Amino acid sequence: MSVARTGEFGLIARVTARLDVGPTCLLGPGDDAAVVSAPDARVVASTDVLVEGRHFRRDWSSAADIGHRAAAANLADIAAMGAVPTALLVALCLPAEVDVRWAEELADGLGAEAARVGASVVGGDMSASPTLTVAVTALGDLGGRPPVLRDGARAGDVVAIAGRLGYAAAGYTVLSRGFRTPKLLVEAYRRPQVPYGAGPQAARYGATAMIDVSDGLLADLGHIATASRVGIDLCADAFDVPDQMRDAAHALGVDPYAWVLSGGDDHALAATFPEDLGVPDGWRMVGHVVHGGGLTVDGKPYKGATGWDHFR
């Protein structure tokens, strides 16, 4: 059955019936607006948009996969501020001929990813559109802590990573070449494994700056370097390149470090910490903050692409 036959309000009813309400949601879908608790009295908010053909393809990913990815992209931004996600608002624009089951499975993916952090989908909007678009707004709570910003890195700090790098970019390359294996890489592109808890952990530990790696490590660390007016030098040997990634890179004629250093969509977290503190459990040190500006790898400028740009 198409969404046109179901109708807007029928589709809303079918989608919202599949969504569970988390502990921070005081009033869920069904009224003019939702009500979400804000114990900290401050709300962290972030929005991201996924457009078919630009950010996802339905022949590469299931609706549930796309739901997981859309939620993860926003929940990771909340974690990168040192906050705990509490709620998602979702705006869905889709062609009238799309099967209603696709929208239901998208909701399943969104809800399941939000549930990983105790959050829930609390409302949104729907519209007909020739281009399928999923826009998500995430809300979060700081738990009494100051947010971890991009402008706090200082020369002498160490740079550390929590989560995976290069897996999703490798999976994207594999899919774009017409292959469906290695499964490890393809599934990483379809459903990122985000270290949500590492964000609040880093905030409690004393992180001086932090960012979600969505567009590529070099590009995103470049934002920290610019905001903090420092330079960042990475050590190539500090990065783990698994055998399946090396084998896929060899088969496809790609440098695996291009995936690791400039690939996005894994939503790892990158942060800086005072050197005397070290790094929290689960984080790995990959470089240092230095005087000056810009990004270097092993003391030299990186010659390849640094990350994703929506307008290039």
Side-chain angles (χ1 to χ4, degrees):
M1 183 185 298
S2 69
V3 296
R5 286 191 60 192
T6 305
E8 177 183 357
F9 298 107
L11 180 59
I12 290 172
R14 293 178 70 130
V15 166
T16 55
R18 306 173 79 89
L19 299 172
D20 295 325
V21 176
T24 59
C25 180
L26 305 181
L27 178 65
D31 225 297
D32 287 333
V35 179
V36 180
S37 64
D40 183 80
R42 296 171 296 173
V43 176
V44 182
S46 180
T47 296
D48 203 63
V49 175
L50 275 70
V51 179
E52 184 173 22
R54 187 65 174 170
H55 301 98
F56 66 87
R57 285 175 45 171
R58 279 185 277 169
D59 58 331
W60 285 4
S61 303
S62 70
D65 291 335
I66 296 165
H68 277 274
R69 287 189 66 212
N74 288 271
L75 297 170
D77 283 335
I78 301 300
M81 299 296 289
V84 175
T86 57
L88 295 178
L89 295 161
V90 181
L92 176 62
C93 302
L94 68 171
E97 67 271 12
V98 170
D99 194 300
V100 68
R101 289 173 297 184
W102 191 94
E104 291 175 337
E105 290 170 11
L106 176 77
D108 291 343
L110 287 161
E113 191 68 25
R116 290 187 57 200
V117 291
S120 50
V121 180
V122 300
D125 193 19
M126 292 183 182
S127 176
S129 169
T131 303
L132 206 162
T133 303
V134 186
V136 181
T137 296
L139 307 178
D141 187 82
L142 287 163
R145 297 178 298 274
V148 184
L149 309 181
R150 300 177 180 184
D151 64 359
R154 297 294 178 263
D157 286 353
V158 299
V159 181
I161 299 295
R164 307 193 304 189
L165 290 169
Y167 286 68
Y172 172 85
T173 304
V174 167
L175 287 165
S176 67
R177 300 287 182 89
F179 301 105
R180 295 294 185 268
T181 58
K183 186 176 180 180
L184 172 70
L185 305 180
V186 171
E187 290 303 315
Y189 168 77
R190 289 172 173 159
R191 298 191 186 190
Q193 296 182 13
V194 184
Y196 297 116
Q201 175 201 29
R204 293 190 297 267
Y205 199 81
T208 54
M210 185 157 50
I211 195 167
D212 159 41
V213 183
S214 57
D215 295 326
L217 180 63
L218 292 173
D220 289 320
L221 283 178
H223 298 318
I224 288 181
T226 298
S228 300
R229 299 182 180 180
V230 295
I232 292 178
D233 183 50
L234 301 178
C235 177
D237 289 342
F239 296 96
D240 176 42
V241 181
D243 290 341
Q244 289 190 57
M245 190 183 295
R246 288 188 184 276
D247 292 343
H250 178 75
L252 297 171
V254 177
D255 177 1
Y257 282 98
W259 290 332
V260 172
L261 295 175
S262 62
D265 287 335
D266 282 302
H267 297 291
L269 299 181
T272 58
F273 298 90
E275 189 170 24
D276 59 349
L277 283 183
V279 300
D281 291 340
W283 288 76
R284 63 187 185 279
M285 191 174 73
V286 297
H288 287 84
V289 180
V290 298
H291 291 287
L295 270 291
T296 54
V297 179
D298 295 331
K300 300 177 181 178
Y302 186 70
K303 296 181 180 179
T306 59
W308 172 264
D309 185 324
H310 285 89
F311 296 100
R312 293 183 179 173

